């Protein structure tokens, strides 16, 4: 059993490999009557699209989305929305190295162990190219929850964190790193140039905030809003950690410092802190939902690594080709998409049970 | 829609409130023919049971499990296993404070916002008492994967971490903290005594390692082994963060330092590092599976907190009663149980697809 | 993987064997705030309860339901509702016959083939006693859709059908057969007395009509309202056929005779026929939903049957004990319960997607 | 929530409308290593393809399937298999009649009631064209269970049944009706010619038999093999009834006549009858699995029907265009496909639980 479907009331299924003819997503359960066409979806794919700066892979993919079903006269019909993105720059390079040996940090060995063989071209199904399909699906999800504003950005690269005092939301789109701190963005340029020069790679931490989420979304106990966010984020390529609100830092706080006190407000209850990241008992509290996601450094590096061949012989491998020196950067739009998909799903789940 | 079921091939559903007559789990999909009775399950519940030291809640619950179905002549039959634990020490205290106002950090406000009202006695469904049901289910899951050894322990309380050089597996059962470092355990006694004296509480980090997991378990892309672990762990009460392998620290490593090189070994491929925590591309690699889970400090504290009443009026609340000063401690057996449940599920999922 | 859970937004899981200590259902996803207690559920169990006439099994089970969770101060809380029914009349008879040989028509051989062994006492999990749990769950489901009226009744026993001209809804409760035709009920008494005298058994057809279902429920294509009804009904013990509206008879009609023409009505669109049984394209039309369900004759009969032993030797078996001479009779309340469960689920699914 | 996914371990999701650019299926969970390419799938689509005789719609669709993912070097990889079929003969006819008024027997009114509007071109999502996607998915499913032989055929058209004494499996492919009785096929020609001449349509009954299914498949209680077959078959367009084995006829048998006695056989247990249709207690018995499916007459007829317009005004409608005079005929390959999909799913479910 493989599980290429995510969600409960709003469900999407993705398909496609890095070097196949196309990849796509089928979004099922979308409410009817929402205005959508390719132009609505495309900007989100463009944000994730590779080749836009020297800090991402140079693979040239236009990532043009096509809507194949579920939309009629410019509106969703309530039936499955099939979204397809054709692969156009699958370079006919020689994959014999990758076919023969396992790249450390990649899924090569695990896929072989599980399935007996693998589509080794560009990582096949385990390639981060799959995230294009999620981003397309996420663009549909956003339409379902127009009251919610979702902002994803990189807060740390290679251990160099932003200065929260320099946080400017408008800055996020002004640099190739989705970085809200202009000074950090400048430092990161140098960091990444050096890493590329070294044939190495860097990790990153992406933060994502959703505002406008009303109190009450979440399906305890095993469909808690934070549980679904954690599962969804951890399913993104290269992710190794997820935290909600203060996350691991909360484990170092005392009870009184971690509490989010309440007070009466003009428009209802107000919180005077948000250590919880907008979720309590698995249910949204009305505060901003805050998630932080750790991306490991790209596993494809030019520095030779000891490994074994498919035959079990000692070997060494260098991963040439076109790769992101920091896969976490382009993770920001993907994290945003997963946030949208989880929230839209939970809006509908809540409506199902509570009207 | 609420979601009180977890798992795909091995599924369990939990039910019950803190102060209802009982709580339980129905485990569905268990393979037939496994030897089990109450005595097999009880030790795991005993490990989680409250009231065993001054560092956990003083509520006296024997947590005796009863098997109501699915077992015949001492063996699982393949039909649903219904496990029930009766509540016996629901103290008839006065809950009027909790009924009228929202305890910061608790799910009180979120439950009211979602459902319109709530069972306020001891937190109702949002109480960590629910984890007893998971632990019982987890004991069944262990029987399905006897080749796997799962060890959970606390690596940090209140920001005070263990010394990895002092790590002794045998030490875990020798102190009331599931702590593998005897020196840390001694320090934690003092830390917790002080926190209790202050009417405060502390957070903790639990680590869990599963050895004996063969390469090949995991159902990419949305049922990745790490994604299911993340979702499962995040669904545990008070958890705010989950990481696999190096987790957030991996985001600070360079590619070559994060790689897990391979070499031929006596019994097949070997890895010379395990930054990945035993999972690549969502599939187990055969290395130990390593998860780390952050527990926030217990929200029930004696230090008064500003809050609002159900009527929206400004108020203040003190959470009296019997509470764990550090809910993360008893989290260790719960994290172990979730690890077992996820792994057993994935063994079966893998068998379904790959034979 | 076994599947003891039914439903999507409203889900229930049943557990328990014929001769275990108890059986039950966990109902998950119920909307909050619905008034319920044991007294609300009990009448439905009483309708299905055995031993109320000489035409059903003489096993004496009070079938008293207990609510163990999910209800607080007389209202559903939105958390799982655990319903338990204790078995009290598991007669300590000698099961050696059944343990050693396979009863034709029963699931004995199939369970052994699947699981390697079986709980042979009273059929174990394959016993129709499980339907008590569904009926309890169904009573909860009815609360979710108070606008819907569900009526199940027997239209045929042993090939002897009711006369539709004699149909009186009020008659259904006046005889031990849930029969709406008083004359047929009288004939059936004789039929069943003869069958019992012969040590034989009879089959039956149950019809169930739900009125008050608005147009728009159903989740095409694989969660069509009729598909879910068909799956749900076919899962009931002894059921071998399901039809919607005219069902198999529709296959013998010409297009113009099977059409359900429409006309303007006082309260909106009206249909002048209901061959479709209230469902088109998998979605309710606002007309009464009509389902018909075929029950085979009870497999437990006193007439000896050739069979084989567990060891594969030729044998013969007579099924003594307390059995329904026509299991379809008590099927009527079970069919009603499944109708309620499917409809409540679909009300919530529709609300999730379409608001 | 809409549900366009079917299955549990082997799951497929279909998408597409009658007059959109394409339709397709994503098959998830397929075991790795199975040899497949378009040529393996195409014959099943060809069997269902319209326009092959005057007894099916004259819409000219080549129904050429493309494999977009999940296959590498001619073998399934274990990742999702995306199958696409382009629509090429969506005739640009005038749909204003259908757009404005509801066709009796069709899903027009129900879709409008549910979603607020609908893609009226050729029935949109509710068109039987969707079944092409199932047939493609079914061709993949067959590869998973090569030991099983599935044969679907028409046993009755317009109330005229085949003579079982004339049953010849080889005859099924010799006539345009999938009819195993040559004499009946001749009669049906005349029947259908007359119906077409009258502007009317006829219903049909399709039977499907699967041999080679071992004892033990099926996931009681809510994933019983027969329950899943019933749900799957009922989800096919125009289906109004499903029965297993003797089905409704079993309700007219006495217990001793409905029993399937057993005896020792050369290759293990043998049954001397198969009233049960190869399923007991929801689990296969090793006997042939027998399903019978009732198709209503095509709703698109030339005989005028009273109806209402979208505005609720009285109207009349005639459904012109290219339609099957008996949609049940082409139902045979679709029923076969659903049988394959359900059986392959259950083979994997059984393997998951029982090894």
């Amino acid at each position: 059993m493989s599980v290429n479907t995510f969600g409960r009331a709003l469900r999407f299924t993705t398909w496609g490999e890095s070097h196949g003819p196309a990849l796509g997503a089928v979004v099922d359960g979308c409410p009817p009557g929402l205005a959508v066409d390719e132009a609505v979806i495309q900007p989100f794919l463009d944000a994730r699209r590779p080749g836009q700066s020297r800090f991402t892979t140079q693979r040239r993919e236009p990532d043009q989305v096509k809507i194949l079903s579920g939309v009629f006269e410019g509106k969703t019909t309530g039936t499955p929305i099939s979204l397809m993105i054709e692969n156009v720059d699958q370079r006919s390079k020689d994959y014999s190295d990758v076919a023969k040996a396992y790249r450390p940090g990649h899924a090569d060995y695990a896929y072989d162990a599980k399935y007996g063989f693998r589509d080794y071209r560009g990582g096949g199904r385990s390639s981060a190219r799959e995230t294009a399909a999620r981003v397309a699906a996420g663009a549909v999800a956003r339409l379902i929850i127009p009251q919610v504003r979702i902002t994803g950005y990189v807060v740390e690269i290679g251990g160099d964190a932003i200065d929260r005092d320099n946080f400017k939301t408008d800055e996020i789109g002004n640099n190739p790193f989705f970085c809200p701190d202009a000074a950090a963005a400048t430092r990161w340029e140098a960091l990444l140039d050096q890493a590329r020069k070294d044939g190495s790679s860097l990790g990153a931490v992406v933060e994502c905030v959703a505002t406008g989420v009303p109190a009450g979304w979440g399906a305890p106990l095993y469909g808690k809003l934070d549980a679904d966010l954690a599962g969804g984020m951890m399913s993104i390529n290269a992710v190794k950690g997820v935290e909600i609100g203060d996350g691991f830092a909360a484990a170092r706080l005392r009870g009184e410092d971690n509490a989010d006190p309440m007070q009466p407000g003009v428009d209802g209850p107000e919180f005077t802190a948000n250590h919880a990241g907008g979720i309590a008992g698995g249910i949204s509290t009305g505060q901003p939902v805050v998630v932080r996601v750790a991306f490991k450094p790209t596993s494809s590096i030019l520095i030779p690594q000891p490994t074994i061949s498919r035959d079990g012989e000692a070997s060494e491998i260098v991963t040439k080709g076109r790769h992101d020196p920091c896969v976490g950067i382009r993770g920001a739009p993907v994290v945003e998409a997963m946030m949208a998909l989880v929230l839209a799903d939970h809006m509908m789940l809540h409506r199902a049970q509570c009207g």
Side-chain angles (χ1 to χ4, degrees), chain A:
Chain A
M1 181 174 175
S2 61
V3 182
N4 289 280
T5 299
F6 184 90
R8 304 173 197 271
L10 181 75
R11 288 187 292 193
F12 69 97
T13 302
T14 72
W15 56 269
E17 277 82 35
S18 178
H19 285 57
L23 53 89
V26 181
V27 181
D28 195 15
C30 185
L34 304 177
V36 68
D37 60 14
E38 280 88 350
V40 168
I41 298 172
Q42 196 60 46
F44 297 98
L45 282 163
D46 290 346
R48 181 206 156 278
R49 191 154 60 84
Q52 301 188 95
S53 80
R54 69 180 186 275
F55 305 108
T56 61
T57 171
Q58 298 305 302
R59 179 167 166 176
R60 298 283 166 186
E61 287 290 349
D63 280 350
Q64 288 293 321
V65 68
K66 285 184 195 170
I67 299 175
L68 296 178
S69 68
V71 176
F72 180 59
E73 297 182 342
K75 289 188 294 185
T76 59
T77 59
T79 65
I81 301 170
S82 180
L83 304 168
M84 185 169 72
I85 298 158
E86 287 175 71
N87 286 324
V88 302
D89 188 24
Q90 318 99 301
R91 201 167 286 182
S92 56
K93 60 168 272 198
D94 177 10
Y95 283 102
S96 55
D97 283 6
V98 182
K100 282 192 216 139
Y102 301 123
R103 296 167 299 166
H106 276 287
D108 300 349
Y109 173 70
Y111 266 67
D112 258 19
K114 184 175 190 68
Y115 301 116
F117 79 120
R118 72 197 138 98
D119 177 353
Y120 46 74
R121 300 164 306 160
R125 181 67 180 155
S126 74
S127 164
R129 243 196 100 51
E130 186 267 351
T131 59
R134 304 187 194 209
V135 168
V140 174
R142 285 169 194 262
L143 303 173
I144 301 170
I145 44 169
Q147 70 274 41
V148 175
R149 182 181 180 134
I150 296 169
T151 311
Y153 43 87
V154 180
V155 294
E156 188 180 315
I157 286 185
D160 182 15
I162 62 164
D163 180 346
R164 295 275 167 176
D165 291 336
N166 287 347
F167 195 107
K168 289 208 182 103
T169 302
D170 291 347
E171 193 60 36
I172 295 168
N174 286 345
N175 59 69
F177 307 111
F178 302 100
C179 178
D181 169 0
T186 305
R187 297 195 307 271
W188 293 352
E189 284 203 25
L191 266 179
L192 277 162
D193 280 335
Q194 186 62 44
R196 281 201 304 146
K197 209 167 121 186
D198 298 343
S200 181
S201 62
L202 298 178
V205 177
V206 171
E207 187 170 277
C208 186
V209 176
T211 56
V213 177
W217 293 0
L221 290 181
Y222 299 105
K224 283 182 173 178
L225 186 56
D226 38 1
D228 280 5
L229 283 169
M233 296 303 171
M234 195 66 93
S235 76
I236 299 172
N237 300 54
V239 170
K240 301 302 288 186
V242 183
E243 48 184 22
I244 307 292
D246 283 6
F248 278 86
R252 284 135 209 167
L253 293 177
R254 290 166 66 92
E256 64 274 23
D257 299 322
N258 185 58
D260 295 328
M262 300 183 79
Q263 64 186 21
V266 180
D267 302 319
E270 280 179 6
F271 291 86
T272 57
N274 188 17
H275 299 284
I279 304 173
I283 300 172
S284 61
T285 62
Q287 293 215 84
V289 173
V290 182
V291 182
R292 220 164 300 102
V293 181
F295 287 82
K296 67 178 182 182
T298 312
S299 298
S300 299
I301 52 176
L302 290 169
I303 300 169
Q305 299 289 316
T307 191
I308 59 168
S309 69
R310 286 205 70 196
D311 307 326
E313 300 299 311
S315 181
E316 194 181 72
I317 198 160
V318 168
T319 309
K320 294 171 206 148
R322 303 161 296 172
H323 302 290
D324 287 280
C326 174
V327 74
I329 297 171
R330 292 204 291 136
V334 182
V335 167
E336 279 193 353
M338 289 306 302
M339 175 73 93
L341 287 156
V342 170
L343 291 175
D345 189 27
H346 275 280
M347 183 279 284
M348 292 167 73
L349 292 175
H350 179 64
R351 192 159 71 179
Q353 186 178 17
C354 297

